[in-house]
């Protein structure tokens, strides 16, 4: 039975059997498998960045310079994780760091010209990645799926 069949069986069941537990029917397991599929599609198209690195560049492209902590909040990363992501992007010359004019403890992050060029080149690939990830769904199913996932986030 495929993962899709399992999900349909779970969704269509009127009264789940509380005595049975099947890992393949659990939301976390299904989400992890979907995430693994998406990451594999991402890596096939964008091999030189991780999804978190891409997210940081895309959000900086969208909003411009921001604090490192604010960037982490916007892309759903804790402070330690976003620091590592930013450090790696800085080492590659894609972002630059500066101190806030008033609060010298606050680090500001911005795209370098190279970072701006990279994200502009990668955004069309990101759209393709999304399309391939959602390809098994109809347009209506994809819209419903994204709306429902957003409710869980």
């Amino acid at each position: 039975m495929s993962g899709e069949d399992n999900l349909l069986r779970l969704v269509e069941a009127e009264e789940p059997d509380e005595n049975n537990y099947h890992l393949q029917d659990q939301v976390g397991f299904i989400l992890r498998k979907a995430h693994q599929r998406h990451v594999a599609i991402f890596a096939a198209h964008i091999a030189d960045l991780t999804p978190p690195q891409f997210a940081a560049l895309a959000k900086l492209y969208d909003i411009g310079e921001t604090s490192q902590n604010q960037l982490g909040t916007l892309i759903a990363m804790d402070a330690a994780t976003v620091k590592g992501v930013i450090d790696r992007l800085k080492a590659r010359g894609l972002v630059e760091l500066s101190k806030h004019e008033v609060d010298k403890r606050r680090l500001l992050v911005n795209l370098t010209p190279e970072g701006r060029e990279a994200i502009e080149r990668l955004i069309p690939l990101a759209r393709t990645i999304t399309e391939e990830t959602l390809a098994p769904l109809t347009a209506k199913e994809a819209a419903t799926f994204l709306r429902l996932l957003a409710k869980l986030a």
Side-chain angles (χ1 to χ4, degrees):
M1 184 173 282
S2 76
E4 183 177 324
D5 292 336
N6 285 331
L7 180 58
L8 289 174
R9 184 170 50 86
L10 181 64
V11 169
E12 291 172 353
E14 289 184 28
E15 291 189 33
D17 184 351
E18 294 177 12
N19 296 320
N20 288 326
Y21 182 93
H22 300 285
L23 179 65
Q24 68 275 12
D25 295 337
Q26 304 310 306
V27 66
F29 182 77
I30 296 166
L31 285 172
R32 186 169 60 81
K33 286 183 65 176
H35 180 258
Q36 288 172 336
R37 181 174 171 277
H38 172 74
V39 169
I41 293 167
F42 182 96
H45 289 281
I46 302 176
D48 60 337
L49 288 175
T50 64
Q53 290 169 343
F54 175 84
L57 293 176
K59 186 49 76 174
L60 287 170
Y61 183 74
D62 185 35
I63 66 168
E65 183 178 65
T66 191
S67 74
Q68 185 170 289
N69 285 340
Q70 179 65 17
L71 179 62
T73 299
L74 293 170
I75 60 175
M77 281 184 216
D78 61 70
T81 303
V82 78
K83 182 187 180 324
V85 167
I86 295 304
D87 287 348
R88 286 183 286 284
L89 291 172
K90 183 178 183 285
R92 294 181 57 185
L94 299 175
V95 300
E96 57 193 3
L97 296 173
S98 61
K99 299 262 186 199
H100 190 274
E101 288 181 18
V102 177
D103 183 354
K104 299 298 182 193
R105 298 168 299 165
R106 194 170 168 198
L107 280 177
L108 299 176
V109 186
N110 205 359
L111 293 173
T112 62
E114 294 82 5
R116 180 168 295 282
E117 180 182 304
I119 195 63
E120 287 174 349
R121 178 177 43 81
L122 294 172
I123 286 173
L125 294 175
R127 287 187 180 108
T128 299
I129 291 164
T130 295
E131 289 170 7
E132 285 186 29
T133 299
L134 297 174
L137 306 175
T138 66
K140 185 176 179 180
E141 287 171 334
T144 300
F145 174 70
L146 292 173
R147 181 177 50 77
L148 293 172
L149 273 180
K151 287 180 82 169
L152 294 176

